[in-house]
Amino acid sequence: MKILGISGFEKAMPFKRAHWPGLDEREYRMSQGHDAAAALVVDGVCVAAAAEERFNRRKHSSDFPVGAIRYCLEEAGCSVTDIDEIAHGFNYAPYAAAYSVDPMTDKQYREVFSRDALLALVRRDCPGVPAERVRHVDHHLAHAASAYFTSGWDECLVVVADGMGEAHGVSVYLGRDGTLEMLFRIPASDSIGVLYSLVTLHLGFDFNADECKMMGLAPYGDAERFSGFFQEHVKLTAGGAIRIPILRLNRDRAERETYAATRRVLEEQLIKARQPDDDITDEHRDVAAALQACLDRGMRHLCGSLALRTGQRRLALAGGVALNCTAAGRLVTSGLFDDVYVQPAAGDDGAALGAALYRASVHKDVRNLRSPAPFYGPSYPVSAVRAALARFGDRLQTIEFGTFEETCAEAARLIAQGCVVAWYRGRMEFGPRALGHRSILADPGDPAMRDRINAMVKKREAFRPFAPAVALEEVHTWFDVPPGTELPYMTVTVDVREPYRRQLPAITHVDGSARVQTVSTKDDATFHALLRAVGTLTGRSMVLNTSFNVNGQPIVNTPDEAIETFLGTGIDCLFLEDVCARRREQ
């Protein structure tokens, strides 16, 4: 059986622009359906998945994922008419009556959220698919399925936390015997994910996009300074519930569109709003620290209460909040669970995968296997690499190696010498993390490397940390985890071991933590081989690993995009499969 999962709402932001003109550009991101994606599940297993942004080159794109769909079908060697079902990771039909009470929301439902609106896009971009093959899956149920059916566990607690699905900010399920039983929900009007995003906006960053920046800023601040504000306004109540009364202050439609009343409270009782170009001060750092502490506390309360209620010692997480590596790391070390799994594409792109897996489970055609490193995106043959290099031949000088071993040895030598290396190989990652196929790599022991990459390569804020990729057999040497701890998705923050923090300045955050990615031969034999080659030269099988893109740009997909990004940055050399490219002026 072939099931194509999709996510996103193409018309959500255009509708908001048309009916609420004149808003701050960042306020238009207070809408549904970003990070559109497609995922193809064949006989219960994912064979291809990708976010639409990687094809149309618009970060967090909400467009109907026609490029991602086309890729998935090509990867599987089938056409859209071969698909048994298309499953969308939202289902607003149960809320149609609530939207109908107001003319504006009724119009929004019909033009953006309704089945008719989805079918119109399917007819436009997937002609020939009968309407009866198009299905809808509740958004949080799709997220839950993405976590449970890739956990490899027959039984576990599944917690979904994000800004909001159709009407909820948190949903908790019991995964057991191939089914998901709803246990508990928190409405969007008490969503800790929405609060986190609103404070992100208040501190001058983008709503529904820059929450990771807050996570990176938080360790620089003093959480105690503003802890009283968050303790007053975020109430942890019996059974795992979270109440946030300031989110309920937005009474009319205009206030609800921008959370205007809530933001007035932030302005009057927290600090003045920072504009995007303003300097970041200790005040902003302290607010970020208090916010992160609030999220950590809320997630521990939520997950711990439901663990106590169910007796479950295994936790699977999905939803945008699950991508907060600090909160996930706190749960890992909390002692509440024997094992914690964060679905590697936990954001809304992963809802496409979850929608397909859930519908496969309905047909009793799903295989619950632990997700491998999610290399579900496209790869390009050597012929495409050579053609791309030829198009830029006047600006590049290249060396093609005869074997991967030669490629690996040269890349390791350059990294050990202090070069910044772009590494492009195999199938692209699905989800927000580059895991060694579309990566920028460097020596984690170089004290100047972090600032260099932030300023000259990534072109982003200096406070943001970089992650290490380390061979699995060495993870316990450098990081405070037991031997053999597998962290293959770069979704959890752990502590760098105290003796090595000064030796690893490029990947050790100000609080001594790092967002670790472990690599084994099972995960990725070629990337593991590179790490081992680096280890032979440096004494540690580890690199700094960050995504191959610049600030505001999606991770590169095609060889041409890799070359263009390389030429526009301070990266020293680019490895495209077994070809090393440098600028001619070098």
Side-chain angles (χ1 to χ4, degrees):
M1 192 168 200
K2 299 180 180 69
I3 301 179
L4 181 69
I6 58 173
S7 62
F9 277 119
E10 179 175 300
K11 296 184 178 181
M13 281 184 69
F15 183 92
K16 188 162 186 170
R17 290 183 189 279
H19 294 87
W20 282 274
L23 298 180
D24 182 303
E25 184 61 29
R26 295 177 300 146
E27 292 175 319
Y28 288 114
R29 289 197 57 80
M30 295 179 182
S31 51
Q32 284 286 64
H34 302 283
D35 298 306
L40 182 60
V41 169
V42 177
D43 297 331
V45 176
C46 180
V47 299
E52 184 62 16
E53 66 167 25
R54 309 291 173 88
F55 300 91
N56 65 19
R57 308 309 297 162
R58 292 191 289 276
K59 197 166 177 65
H60 300 298
S61 176
S62 59
D63 290 354
F64 189 79
V66 60
I69 290 171
R70 187 179 301 119
Y71 153 67
C72 288
L73 296 174
E74 289 173 355
E75 182 67 29
C78 61
S79 69
V80 72
T81 54
D82 296 324
I83 297 300
D84 295 290
E85 286 187 4
I86 294 177
H88 188 217
F90 279 98
N91 183 15
Y92 271 85
Y95 307 97
Y99 277 83
S100 69
V101 301
D102 173 79
M104 181 65 75
T105 56
D106 182 60
K107 184 178 184 184
Q108 183 184 38
Y109 176 81
R110 286 185 285 105
E111 295 185 7
V112 179
F113 300 136
S114 70
R115 177 171 175 79
D116 287 343
L118 175 63
L119 290 175
L121 296 173
V122 171
R123 286 193 296 270
R124 184 191 71 188
D125 292 328
C126 300
V129 175
E132 59 268 22
R133 293 189 189 177
V134 179
R135 302 286 184 162
H136 304 261
V137 178
D138 175 271
H139 187 62
H140 279 190
L141 183 57
H143 273 313
S146 79
Y148 176 50
F149 291 116
T150 63
S151 70
W153 295 328
D154 180 63
E155 187 173 320
C156 63
L157 186 68
V158 184
V159 174
V160 176
D162 59 9
M164 65 177 290
E166 293 83 359
H168 296 89
V170 168
S171 298
V172 181
Y173 301 81
L174 176 63
R176 178 187 286 163
D177 299 331
T179 64
L180 285 160
E181 176 192 352
M182 170 67 68
L183 299 178
F184 179 74
R185 299 195 108 167
I186 295 175
S189 54
D190 290 308
S191 170
I192 199 165
V194 166
L195 179 67
Y196 200 98
S197 292
L198 286 174
V199 180
T200 298
L201 181 72
H202 195 69
L203 264 60
F205 303 111
D206 284 357
F207 189 98
N208 249 342
D210 286 345
E211 289 76 12
C212 60
K213 296 182 182 181
M214 294 290 283
M215 183 177 65
L217 184 62
Y220 290 93
D222 175 8
E224 289 301 313
R225 182 177 177 186
F226 294 106
S227 63
F229 174 88
F230 290 102
Q231 288 173 5
E232 177 185 353
H233 293 292
V234 179
K235 307 293 186 181
L236 308 183
T237 59
I242 302 172
R243 294 195 70 253
I244 309 177
I246 58 172
L247 294 181
R248 298 172 178 267
L249 298 176
N250 305 286
R251 301 300 182 186
D252 59 33
R253 182 68 181 168
E255 285 189 336
R256 287 194 295 271
E257 279 299 316
T258 62
Y259 293 93
T262 305
R263 292 162 67 191
R264 283 195 295 270
V265 174
L266 299 179
E267 183 79 14
E268 294 164 4
Q269 298 183 27
L270 188 59
I271 63 171
K272 296 295 183 183
R274 172 183 171 268
Q275 296 306 306
D277 294 331
D278 291 348
D279 290 339
I280 295 174
T281 68
D282 284 345
E283 191 175 53
H284 304 124
R285 288 184 274 268
D286 293 345
V287 168
L291 175 67
Q292 182 63 48
C294 174
L295 179 66
D296 296 344
R297 183 170 58 100
M299 289 298 288
R300 181 187 175 102
H301 168 71
L302 167 70
C303 297
S305 298
L306 271 297
L308 185 64
R309 172 179 160 183
T310 61
Q312 292 297 317
R313 297 284 300 176
R314 293 186 293 200
L315 172 66
L317 292 167
V321 172
L323 290 173
N324 189 292
C325 304
T326 302
R330 297 279 190 271
L331 289 170
V332 168
T333 59
S334 66
L336 295 169
F337 299 97
D338 298 328
D339 204 351
V340 176
Y341 166 67
V342 182
Q343 199 271 101
D348 274 8
D349 48 357
L353 172 61
L357 290 171
Y358 176 74
R359 288 301 305 171
S361 76
V362 171
H363 294 286
K364 308 298 183 186
D365 188 34
V366 68
R367 297 174 63 194
N368 189 340
L369 304 172
R370 174 57 64 96
S371 175
F375 301 123
Y376 293 133
S379 62
Y380 294 86
V382 173
S383 58
V385 169
R386 289 173 178 157
L389 290 166
R391 286 190 284 274
F392 292 88
D394 59 331
R395 301 173 65 185
L396 297 173
Q397 56 186 21
T398 62
I399 300 173
E400 184 165 356
F401 299 96
T403 66
F404 170 69
E405 288 71 23
E406 293 174 317
T407 303
C408 195
E410 178 63 6
R413 183 185 70 82
L414 291 167
I415 291 169
Q417 287 183 350
C419 292
V420 178
V421 170
W423 184 257
Y424 177 106
R425 192 172 193 90
R427 294 182 71 178
M428 182 177 67
E429 299 90 341
F430 179 50
R433 315 291 187 217
L435 300 173
H437 285 198
R438 303 289 185 273
S439 289
I440 297 169
L441 309 176
D443 178 11
D446 186 336
M449 190 58 72
R450 176 171 149 177
D451 289 342
R452 179 187 170 197
I453 295 177
N454 267 329
M456 296 179 60
V457 179
K458 298 287 282 186
K459 303 178 182 180
R460 66 183 198 174
E461 298 87 355
F463 64 80
R464 296 177 64 185
F466 288 110
V470 61
L472 176 63
E473 53 269 33
E474 290 187 16
V475 64
H476 64 286
T477 301
W478 311 103
F479 303 97
D480 193 14
V481 297
T485 298
E486 296 188 53
L487 303 167
Y489 315 119
M490 203 188 287
T491 53
V492 171
T493 297
V494 301
D495 287 337
V496 181
R497 295 179 74 88
E498 183 69 42
Y500 301 114
R501 292 180 183 180
R502 290 192 176 185
Q503 296 181 31
L504 300 170
I507 57 87
T508 301
H509 205 20
V510 66
D511 61 350
S513 69
R515 191 180 68 214
V516 175
Q517 174 199 359
T518 59
V519 183
S520 68
T521 54
K522 175 189 68 175
D523 300 325
D524 186 349
T526 55
F527 194 37
H528 183 266
L530 175 61
L531 295 177
R532 296 298 284 175
V534 170
T536 299
L537 299 177
T538 67
R540 50 179 176 258
S541 299
M542 185 194 316
V543 295
L544 177 158
N545 177 17
T546 188
S547 56
F548 191 179
N549 64 325
V550 297
N551 194 28
Q553 175 195 73
I555 295 173
V556 300
N557 176 3
T558 68
D560 286 85
E561 290 158 10
I563 296 168
E564 289 169 351
T565 300
F566 164 66
L567 291 171
T569 65
I571 298 170
D572 294 304
C573 53
L574 164 64
F575 282 83
L576 287 164
E577 300 294 338
D578 291 324
V579 179
C580 178
R582 292 176 177 261
R583 297 170 188 80
R584 280 202 174 274
E585 62 267 27
Q586 291 179 298

